[in-house]
């Protein structure tokens, strides 16, 4: 059964907290005693979705593990902005080794915990989309295939941000990056085959795979907590807008994540042992333009030299997601 | 840490040394914006404020916040035309919050549980005369009493309530409700003198040694229309008909009753006639959408079997019969005669064409300014004669119970100030929490609760109350539909969405604080505050 | 206990006696037999508690070891050649993080051309990675060095490669004295990490360090290896006490006392060198041997002391700094700088080419007579090389080198028919 929003309370489960909810039904983030795993003073850009997503996820994992958590981090913005010598923002035991090896390092940590009999200590690995879907992919797949006791969290901001916004295999078609400039007859990133890592993860048959966004905190926490209740290899990909890389306003971070979900561009679902078990339905379907327009990385699709055919293609991708994952309620789908 | 590898291994949480607040070019601040409902409420109720308590099920506290502004919630929850709901932001989302029905629930709950008003402030030793025990007079008396003044109401009629008793029919406002709420005001120590018509205000004030007076005599003189009428024709005015409904001798109108007019009073008379076994026909010169009556009232009347003849004027009234002329609207929407006539059966004709104010008590008072038959007042509700204030139907107004209550409150505040020799300065109005200030995504979908209606047979044959109230569960649900426009309702969003942990949660009821040491000024909190209670303001750099 | 045993198996048993807690394995010849044996022991329950992880690459192997070591578990892996290169980024990282991982390198050549046989180019390519490198001469020494390696690594919190010649040692059946568990336990205390990932006492390991502290971090790594120069002989001495055997240390000399010509080498080739030297001694030549065990840290002082009294030396090495010459030789020359000693570099045995006594005889005598060029390529087929060089000079499209060489050697099929 997928995440069930609480009904009939003013804001239901959409807001972070709700003074009317029973304490045990409240989100981790609403708690005054949340662990703030990544603390103030980090050097992420204003409105960084990754910083936010990381706190959401790791705090939830901390809550679920009774603060018995070790985090492994791939190279990337999250690592760089959280631990420049001489200050660290992390309040959990944390290690950064390399860009492409976080899943394997985490395997090692988990193995150490097992051999030491510290079965209560849980391991989370985290990295950006580049560190996950590209350079760390071999290690990730190996970790999945062995079903190592690691929850891997990918913070998907759809490009190599730390090195200055270059394309990754998670960069959407048409998006401008430093290596897919909006020039030539097909500006921006190409329409390739795509690389759906959550589905590739599912193909490994691992116990749990999920996607989430920083716009749906309760869903995100539910997924992290659920994943933490399980053992074996687990994968959660969290959609985290990057104001710098996307050319979006710093205050639009959550809004864009919401639009990515509400347009169908980023399907939010969960799967167990390779089978989809739940989707977060679109509440209020939006046209793809609403998502694209606030982002400068798509600016070349509009305006004077507009590319309506490319926008239509992106809409078709969103629509296919909607069909494929059943993102709309029956009535909304046909109505 | 000393024995840990140098530089590559760091102490946890040490980034607190890095005060990222210096990056900021604008800062978020918490503020309260004025919810549109509050802004629209003629009685100036803090609607969002009392709904907040109702949301958590603390109905008594909700009622207490409500009655700070309006002592008649149970009445109001029945007869108010709720402009608050018309301007409610939720209306742009699905349907307005059923403010009025929650208000009624709270009022009824208060009656059921016997909640009393907070004790009045210490006595000021000042005496205020209130003329008229209609909603406006009662409201002024209530507020003045709570402020510590000695209040005496002089009322011409045999019972308190004004038009709430002698105008609005029982099936819309059961009298026990009215009685209970009036009594609670009197329990504050207000003196009510019934059957005491003030003939000359200056005299009455001198006689009772009053320091100030508030006049709220309403508008009770039915307007007449020039209808050529035969001797045997039976023409009466609506207000008298309704008033006589409260007395021993019910009005004798016959079977076929023609009601002339298109306002709420016409509707009320027609529906009353229906309940007495008559066959009412409303004749109105314009169309339904141009009628001053509220559409829901027209609808309810039609449901009950009231007939309405639109675009018609009465040309002639004879015994048992009237002649009407069909009208047509011109380009400007004014009805123009067509010369087409029709005869209709009519045992009587009730004129519901509005009321005039009986100003006789003001005779001889110097400085008064009367225009269009109503007394002019300053924004402080004072007439041209110092110390005499006025409100309600007798001053320029929309003529509703709620406006009257609002006038009473406003007048009370100004009388209080005047008695103290100061001027009342209202708190500056906050900017309005318009819909664009909200982030409506966060509110769960919840359709408005529909109040139960009495079955149609009983509506046609009895004076039982037509509209039912909400019960505990659906009142709670309805309260929780409120978006809390412009006022923090502790949803924790700002606390959660800040990527820099720069929001400090102070604990239940205490709200939040920004930690400007770390706030980078990204503005996510403002964007994601559901209710528009945060504003970004530029830093002066 | 004395056993007639394969080198790999012996090393596996020694590793097991060191009670590793996490072993990462990825197959590559000639390392395979070591991890296979360990895997079997773990699977059988003979080595417990221990997690044996079949990773998907050497990069992962080292990365897993980084994780497990940082989390406080004694961690081990083994590799060779391409495998070592595949894990390079993590090799440097393990050293940078100061994680006391022990890794066996079954030394093997690096392609292309792909070649599975022994030389030292793989571990030598990691000279500057921050890892210590100890070279075993025999399988007995390989066993002993592993036991010492854990102690050394954990004492300094720095990783170590124990290098043993692929096939020559790994696949050789020899008599090896395998110590008992009690002996090893008496020598090697349980792992007490200097830093550890622990929820009870969180730390952030692997920070980004800028110019303000990077040099210091690097110097500290260097300082640790300098400390190792003192610790290695000390541990060897303790080892001798516990196990009654000379094993390890920084360098070892053979018949060097009055030697005028010294042969410097690392690893198993020292056996052949010593045999040759014995024969030459019998013929009255004043020749001796310096074996280097600790390649990193490089024992400059000990090497200088061992050579300072000779007249000339030959560094016989199984590695080539292309475009420059010897790799070990450069370090040896640095050790004797200012002495005016004559030094020769002899590159031999690349890609597993046999180093014969006959060739060494010739080489050493030429050295004695000071007739050697500065860099000698032992047993290089000049004929083949010159022909190819000529061809390339003549013709831009001179064809595949390997095929040409086979042709020249009369071994190719085209030669048969052509
Ligand atoms: C049929 C009808 C239905 C209505 N329905 C609604 C409704 O549903 N909702 C709504 O908001 N409004 C309604 N109204 C309007 C509303 O009733 C009035 O606007 C409101 O009652 C005015 O209040 P008031 O206090 O100014 O005067 P009133 O309610 O008219 O009260 C004036 C009081 O003063 C007394 N009085 C008059 N002269 C003297 C004197 N000289 N000395 C002493 N006492 C005096 C009168 O006896 C009366 O009791 C309705 C009006 C009518 C006629
Ligand atoms: C092996 C290696 N290649 C390249 C880099 C350079 N590099 C560091 S971070 C980074 C981009 C990270 O992108 P992503 O994983 O998406 O994380 P983000 O910064 O976007 O959060 C790159 C390319 C590196 N550190 N290591
Ligand atoms: S570049 Fe993007 S991901 Fe990196 S810190 Fe800035 S906002 Fe966050
Ligand atoms: S939602 Fe609540 S606060 Fe907003 S206008 Fe409606 S009743 Fe008032
Ligand atoms: Mg990225």
């Amino acid at each position: 059964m997928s995440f069930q929003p609480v009904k009939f309370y003013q804001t239901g489960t959409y807001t972070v907290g709700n003074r009317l909810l029973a304490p045990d039904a409240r989100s981790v983030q609403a708690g005054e005693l949340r662990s703030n795993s990544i603390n103030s003073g980090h050097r992420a850009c204003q409105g960084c979705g990754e910083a936010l997503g990381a706190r959401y996820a790791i705090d939830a994992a901390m809550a679920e593990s009774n603060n018995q958590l070790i985090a492994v981090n791939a190279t990337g913005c999250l690592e760089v902005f959280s631990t420049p010598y001489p200050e660290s923002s992390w309040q959990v035991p944390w290690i950064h080794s390399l860009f492409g090896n976080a899943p394997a390092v985490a395997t090692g940590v988990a193995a150490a915990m097992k051999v030491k009999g510290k079965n209560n200590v849980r391991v989370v690995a985290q990295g950006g989309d580049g560190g996950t879907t590209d350079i760390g992919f071999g290690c990730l797949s190996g970790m999945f295939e062995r079903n190592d006791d690691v929850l891997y969290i990918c913070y998907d901001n759809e490009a190599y941000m730390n090195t200055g916004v270059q394309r990754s295999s998670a960069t959407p078609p048409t998006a401008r990056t430093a290596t897919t400039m909006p020039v030539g007859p097909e500006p921006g990133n190409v329409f390739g085959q795509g690389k759906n890592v959550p589905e590739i993860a599912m193909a490994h048959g691992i116990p749990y795979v999920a996607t989430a966004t920083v716009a749906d905190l309760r869903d995100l926490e539910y997924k992290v907590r659920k994943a933490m209740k399980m053992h074996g290899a687990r994968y959660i990909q969290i959609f985290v807008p990057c104001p710098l890389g996307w050319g979006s306003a710093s205050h639009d971070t959550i809004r864009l994540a919401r639009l990515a979900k509400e347009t169908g561009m980023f399907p939010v679902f969960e799967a167990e042992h390779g089978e989809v078990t739940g989707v977060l339905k679109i509440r209020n379907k939006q046209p793809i333009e609403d998502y694209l327009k606030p982002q400068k990385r798509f600016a070349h699709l509009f305006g004077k030299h507009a590319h309506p055919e490319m926008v239509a293609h992106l809409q078709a991708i969103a629509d296919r997601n909607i069909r494929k994952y059943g993102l709309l309620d029956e009535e909304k789908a046909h109505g | 840490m000393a024995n840990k590898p140098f530089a590559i291994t760091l102490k946890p949480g040490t980034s607190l040394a890095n005060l990222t607040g210096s990056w900021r070019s604008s800062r978020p601040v918490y503020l309260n914006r004025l919810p549109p409902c509050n802004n629209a409420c003629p009685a100036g109720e803090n609607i969002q404020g009392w709904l907040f308590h109702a949301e958590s099920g603390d109905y008594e506290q909700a009622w207490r916040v409500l009655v700070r502004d309006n002592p008649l919630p149970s009445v109001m929850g029945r007869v108010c035309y709720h402009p608050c709901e018309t301007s409610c932001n939720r209306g742009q989302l699905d349907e307005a919050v059923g403010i009025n029905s929650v208000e009624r629930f709270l009022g009824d709950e208060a009656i059921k549980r016997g909640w009393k008003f907070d004790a009045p402030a210490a006595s000021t030793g000042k005496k205020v005369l209130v003329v008229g025990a209609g909603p406006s007079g009662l409201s002024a008396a209530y507020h003045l009493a709570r402020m510590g003044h000695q209040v005496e109401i002089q009322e011409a009629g045999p019972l308190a309530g004004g038009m709430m008793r002698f105008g609005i029919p029982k099936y819309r406002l059961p009298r026990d409700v009215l009685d209970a709420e009036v009594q609670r005001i009197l329990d504050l120590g207000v003196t009510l003198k019934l059957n005491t018509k003030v003939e000359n205000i200056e005299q009455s004030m001198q006689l009772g040694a009053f320091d100030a007076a508030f006049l709220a005599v309403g508008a009770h003189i039915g307007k007449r229309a020039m209808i050529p009428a035969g001797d045997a024709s039976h023409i009466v005015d609506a207000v008298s008909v309704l008033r006589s409904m409260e007395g021993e001798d019910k009005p004798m109108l016959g079977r076929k009753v023609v009601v002339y007019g298109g306002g709420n009073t016409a509707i009320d008379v027609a529906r009353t006639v229906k309940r007495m076994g008559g066959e009412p026909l409303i004749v109105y010169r314009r169309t339904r959408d141009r009628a001053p009556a509220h559409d829901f009232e027209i609808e309810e009347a039609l449901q009950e079997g009231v007939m309405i003849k639109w675009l018609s004027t009465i040309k002639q009234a004879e015994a048992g019969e009237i002649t009407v002329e069909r009208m047509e609207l011109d380009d400007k929407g004014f009805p123009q005669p067509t010369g087409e006539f029709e005869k209709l059966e009519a045992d009587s004709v009730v004129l519901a064409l509005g009321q005039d104010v009986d100003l006789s008590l003001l005779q001889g008072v110097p400085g008064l300014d009367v225009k269009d038959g109503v007394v002019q007042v300053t924004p402080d509700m004072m007439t041209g004669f110092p110390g005499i204030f006025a409100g309600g139907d007798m001053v320029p107004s929309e003529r509703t119970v709620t406006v009257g209550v609002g006038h009473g409150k406003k007048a009370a505040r100004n009388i209080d100030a005047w008695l103290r020799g100061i001027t009342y300065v209202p708190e500056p109005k906050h900017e309005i929490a318009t819909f664009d200030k909200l982030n409506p995504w966060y509110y769960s979908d919840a359709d408005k609760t529909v109040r139960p209606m009495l079955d149609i047979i009983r509506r046609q044959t009895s004076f039982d109350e037509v509209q039912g109230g909400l019960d505990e569960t659906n009142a709670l649900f309805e309260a929780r539909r409120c978006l809390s426009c412009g006022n923090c309702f502790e949803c924790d969003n700002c606390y959660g969405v800040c990527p820099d942990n720069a929001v400090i949660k102070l604990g239940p009821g205490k709200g939040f604080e920004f930690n400007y040491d770390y706030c980078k000024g990204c503005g996510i909190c403002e964007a994601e505050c559901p209710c528009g209670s945060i504003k970004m303001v530029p830093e002066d750099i | 206990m004395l056993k007639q045993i394969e080198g790999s198996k012996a090393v596996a048993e020694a590793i097991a006696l060191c009670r590793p807690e996490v072993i990462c394995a990825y197959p590559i010849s000639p390392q395979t037999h070591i991890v296979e044996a360990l895997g079997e022991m773990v699977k059988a329950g003979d080595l417990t508690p221990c997690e044996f992880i079949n990773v998907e690459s050497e990069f992962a192997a080292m990365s897993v070891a980084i994780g497990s070591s940082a989390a406080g578990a004694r961690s081990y892996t083994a590799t060779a050649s391409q495998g070592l290169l595949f894990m390079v980024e993590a090799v440097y990282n393990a050293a940078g993080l100061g994680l006391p991982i022990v890794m066996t390198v079954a030394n093997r050549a690096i392609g292309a051309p792909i070649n599975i046989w022994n030389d030292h180019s793989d571990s030598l390519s990691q000279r500057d990675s921050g890892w210590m490198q100890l070279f075993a001469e025999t399988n007995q020494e390989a066993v002993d060095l592993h036991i010492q390696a854990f102690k050394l690594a954990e004492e300094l919190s720095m990783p170590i490669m124990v290098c043993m010649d692929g096939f020559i040692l790994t696949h050789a059946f020899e008599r090896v004295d395998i110590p008992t568990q009690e002996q090893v336990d008496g020598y090697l205390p349980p792992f007490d990490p200097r830093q550890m990932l622990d929820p009870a006492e969180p730390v952030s390991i692997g920070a980004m360090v800028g110019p303000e502290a990077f040099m210091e971090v690097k110097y500290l790594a260097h300082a640790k290896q300098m400390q190792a120069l003192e610790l290695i002989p000390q541990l060897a001495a303790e080892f001798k006490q516990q196990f009654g055997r000379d094993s390890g240390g920084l360098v070892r000399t053979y018949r060097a006392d009055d030697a005028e010509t010294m042969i410097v080498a690392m690893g198993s080739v020292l056996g052949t060198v010593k045999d040759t030297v014995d024969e030459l001694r019998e013929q009255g030549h004043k020749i001796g041997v310096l074996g280097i065990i600790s390649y990193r840290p490089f024992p400059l002082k000990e090497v200088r002391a061992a050579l300072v009294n000779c007249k000339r030396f030959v560094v016989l090495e199984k590695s080539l700094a292309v475009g420059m010459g010897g790799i070990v030789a450069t370090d040896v020359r640095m050790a004797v700088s200012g002495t005016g000693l004559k030094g020769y570099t002899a590159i031999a045995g690349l890609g597993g080419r046999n180093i014969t006594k006959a060739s060494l005889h010739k080489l050493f005598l030429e050295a004695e007579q000071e007739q050697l060029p500065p860099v000698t390529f032992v047993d290089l087929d000049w004929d083949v090389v010159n022909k190819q060089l000529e061809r390339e000079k003549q013709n831009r499209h001179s064809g595949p080198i390997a095929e040409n060489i086979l042709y020249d050697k009369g071994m190719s099929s085209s030669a048969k028919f052509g």
Side-chain angles (χ1 to χ4, degrees), chain A residues 73-103:
Chain A
N73 215 128
T75 312
C77 271
L78 178 60
E79 167 261 330
V80 169
F81 69 62
S82 65
T83 54
Y85 166 82
E87 295 147 3
S88 168
S89 306
W90 293 98
Q91 317 230 59
V92 297
W94 178 94
I95 184 171
H96 158 246
S97 171
L98 294 170
F99 190 20
N101 71 352

Side-chain angles (χ1 to χ4, degrees), chain A residues 50 76-77 99 127-131 154-162 166 168 170-171 240 242 246:
Chain A
E50 189 165 81
C77 271
F99 190 20
D129 50 295
C154 167
Y155 301 108
D156 179 8
N157 55 20
E158 302 193 322
Y160 293 109
M161 295 313 175
N162 188 48
Q166 295 85 8
S168 81
T171 301
V240 290
C242 164
W246 297 9

Side-chain angles (χ1 to χ4, degrees), chain C residues 208-221:
Chain C
M208 174 164 123
V209 179
E212 70 278 28
F214 192 83
M215 285 238 340
E216 285 70 19
V217 171
K218 284 292 150 185
Y219 177 79
L220 288 166

